[in-house]
Amino acid sequence: MHDFPEKFKSKVLNDSFLEGEILLNALNTNSPTAIRLNPFKQKVELEGMSLVPWCNEAYYLTERPIFTLDPLFHAGCYYPQETGSMFLDFVLYKLDIPNEPIVLDLCAAPGGKSTLISSFLNNKGLLVSNEVIQSRAQILKENIIKWGTYNNIVTNNDPKDFGKIKHTFDLIVVDAPCSGEGMFRKDPKTRTEWSEENVQLCASRQKRIVADCWESLKSNGYLIYSTCTFNPSENEENVQWITEELGGEIINIDTDLLPKGRNAIGNYGLPSKVNTEGFYIAVIRKKGEQTTLNSKKIKINDKTITNFKETTILNAFIDTTPLEIFQFKEHLFGVKKEFQELFFQLKENLKIIHFGTEIGEISRKGFIPHELLPFSILINNQLTKIELNKQQALQYLKGETFSLTGEKGYCLITHNNQVLGFIKHLGNRFNNLYPKEWRIRMKIN
Ligand code: SAM
């Protein structure tokens, strides 16, 4: 076990708010394992599930299973998540958020908060999930697609790019990169990376990130700020700075479930007080005159993208009713009807890596469905399905092909009645269409 850095220890022991000795002891115990279920997919029952009190459909587990070996994990039926982070759910239900909100999750990879926000939104409004690091943005895209909702955009941008999109979001979540003191329990190796200089560096980077996106938040819109660290520089002091320098008011979340922060600013998941790792969350409401988006119709300049009207040929594969279907060259994708103009407006300013619902291609041979289509909750349930046992399902998720009887054509592969992906059946064998980059690489006996 790695010991705590001396300077960290003395800071914590001198901080009466943290009750240092008790916190340090708690950080040396095992961290809890928990999952949050996907309300849009098959219900999952795992060993020893007990409710997390501050989040819908969230459960502690008595043991940490090998998630990679569970096909339903790959199908997006649940997301393993730190329980402190799940407090975001409780906060969202406390706020006065419009019915069809436009939401930005600015530091979103790997997608824990974004999938939680997606469940909360229940396909209402629009969720833009952004991650600045390219490789992490791909993991974010995978988790968003597997969650199955159809009101998402995934972007790979620096926070300052959002400054160009004025007064657009009703809610911005900034789950900021931080010094990670709250990870000292789950991953003791991270203790060796802590330094006072890094805390200060993180604190100023966090201010910059919030300042960069502030212009894109509507007046009276909410900014939810969170970290997984305990020190005041990255938490309460930053929240105070945001309110004073950028113009916001702190919104108190009335609850006894998670302790209040210093000076009652924000709430903490402190492992010495509640069964979490380490988490801090605060809500700020932007002050200012009510701003409305330019009401004149936004002109779609992109002539390469056209409306696709012959949707009847798609109906065998997908419920297109909530979507406007577009064609780019031979590629078809669906965008939520109410938000198509906003989609195009964002596209002019951002590097979009996932845009609505991937539907397929129109080729000379006819319609070819996209390999990502089976993950959408809009997939047509009447498509031919082939149920696999666990061993076969894992083989499928590894990208293997094996002998299987069935009708020729596109079929959905299922396990426990949950769709895992497509195959193209050729009679007594099949082409495995599970996305290559998502395949299980672990050796399975
Ligand atoms: N919200 C995520 C979730 O719940 O799964 C976890 C986000 S993690 C705490 C912080 C994220 O910020 C990381 O994905 C990291 O790559 C990203 N990040 C790092 N430096 C950044 C910067 N300068 N601006 C914006 N994001 C940054």
Side-chain angles (χ1 to χ4, degrees), residues 79 81 85 88 105-115 130-133 136-137 140 143 157-160 173-178 205 208-209 212 226-228:
Y79 191 97
Q81 190 171 35
S85 297
L88 174 61
D105 184 8
L106 185 65
C107 311
K113 311 281 182 315
S114 273
T115 52
N130 177 68
E131 168 57 42
V132 65
I133 297 173
R136 290 177 61 80
L140 172 66
N143 285 322
N157 283 82
D158 189 280
K160 70 176 178 319
V173 176
V174 176
D175 188 29
C178 69
R205 183 168 54 201
R208 196 178 66 233
I209 291 174
D212 278 346
S226 61
T227 70
C228 58

Side-chain angles (χ1 to χ4, degrees), residues 180-197:
E181 294 159 358
M183 301 295 286
F184 288 180
R185 187 178 186 195
K186 182 179 174 195
D187 188 0
K189 269 204 316 294
T190 57
R191 297 174 186 186
T192 59
E193 288 153 23
W194 187 94
S195 71
E196 273 187 308
E197 294 71 44

Side-chain angles (χ1 to χ4, degrees), residues 88 91-93 95-98 101-106 117 120-121 126-128 168-174 213 216-218 220-225 282-284:
L88 174 61
V91 170
L92 289 172
Y93 279 96
L95 303 181
D96 183 17
I97 297 172
I102 303 169
V103 182
L104 169 64
D105 184 8
L106 185 65
I117 299 165
F120 167 78
L121 291 177
L126 185 75
L127 171 61
V128 179
T168 299
F169 298 102
D170 298 288
L171 166 69
I172 299 182
V173 176
V174 176
C213 71
S216 69
L217 182 63
K218 286 181 188 165
N220 292 319
Y222 295 106
L223 183 121
I224 300 183
Y225 176 83
V283 183
I284 300 139

Side-chain angles (χ1 to χ4, degrees), residues 12 25 99 127 194 202 206 231 266 314 355 363 377:
V12 168
N25 287 339
N99 203 27
L127 171 61
W194 187 94
C202 288
Q206 289 149 354
N231 70 74
L314 311 179
F355 191 78
S363 80
I377 55 171

